Amino acid sequence: LGDLASRFPNASLYALGYHNPYNGDPTHPFYPLADPAVQGLNQVIEGVAPFFGATYMDVYGAINPNEASLTLIGTFPGDLVNYVHLNDAGYAAVGNQFIRSAGGPAAVPEPASILLFGIGGVALLVRRKRQGGQPAAA
């Protein structure tokens, strides 16, 4: 974070916490250990984020208590790497959490009205030209 803050001083930095996929599989040997470890790590991340001018983003809360349906837990039991990742719905939940952390939909830039008006005007001119200069029918 320090390196990013120094290289991009005007950027908005976000320190992402972690989700606990093992909450989705109570039979997994890591189940009793993972939640306290992940929550402790997230407290550390949240605590140091302000020192770098970063905003903490709670990924844990975006996934909990739906780990079974928002992660790949149980999908690849022999593959310990992919077993813990989010699935498409989980990434969507984290994306929505990021949008909320960044200030909501208003923080997402939208096309300028003048640009949309200009594109519409050009489309009407092209249509009129193709129709031989006749006014377009409604």
Side-chain angles (χ1 to χ4, degrees):
L1 284 174
D3 187 43
L4 285 173
S6 67
R7 288 178 190 234
F8 306 101
N10 296 322
S12 297
L13 297 178
Y14 292 87
L16 279 62
Y18 286 88
H19 70 284
N20 176 13
Y22 300 108
N23 279 343
D25 183 4
T27 65
H28 195 281
F30 292 166
Y31 177 79
L33 305 170
D35 210 55
V38 169
Q39 289 194 39
L41 175 60
N42 286 342
Q43 287 176 352
V44 171
I45 296 169
E46 185 176 18
V48 300
F51 291 104
F52 299 97
T55 300
Y56 174 72
M57 192 184 97
D58 177 28
V59 172
Y60 182 93
I63 303 301
N64 183 271
N66 301 303
E67 291 84 358
S69 64
L70 297 178
T71 69
L72 296 175
I73 201 77
T75 308
F76 303 103
D79 182 352
L80 298 180
V81 174
N82 290 305
Y83 192 68
V84 299
H85 287 282
L86 298 169
N87 59 24
D88 290 346
Y91 282 113
V94 170
N96 288 331
Q97 178 68 18
F98 182 78
I99 290 169
R100 285 189 296 277
S101 294
V108 178
E110 58 184 79
S113 297
I114 192 72
L115 177 63
L116 293 176
F117 180 76
I119 291 170
V122 169
L124 286 173
L125 289 174
V126 168
R127 183 175 178 187
R128 183 176 248 186
K129 185 174 182 176
R130 286 186 181 165
Q131 292 178 344
Q134 299 298 321

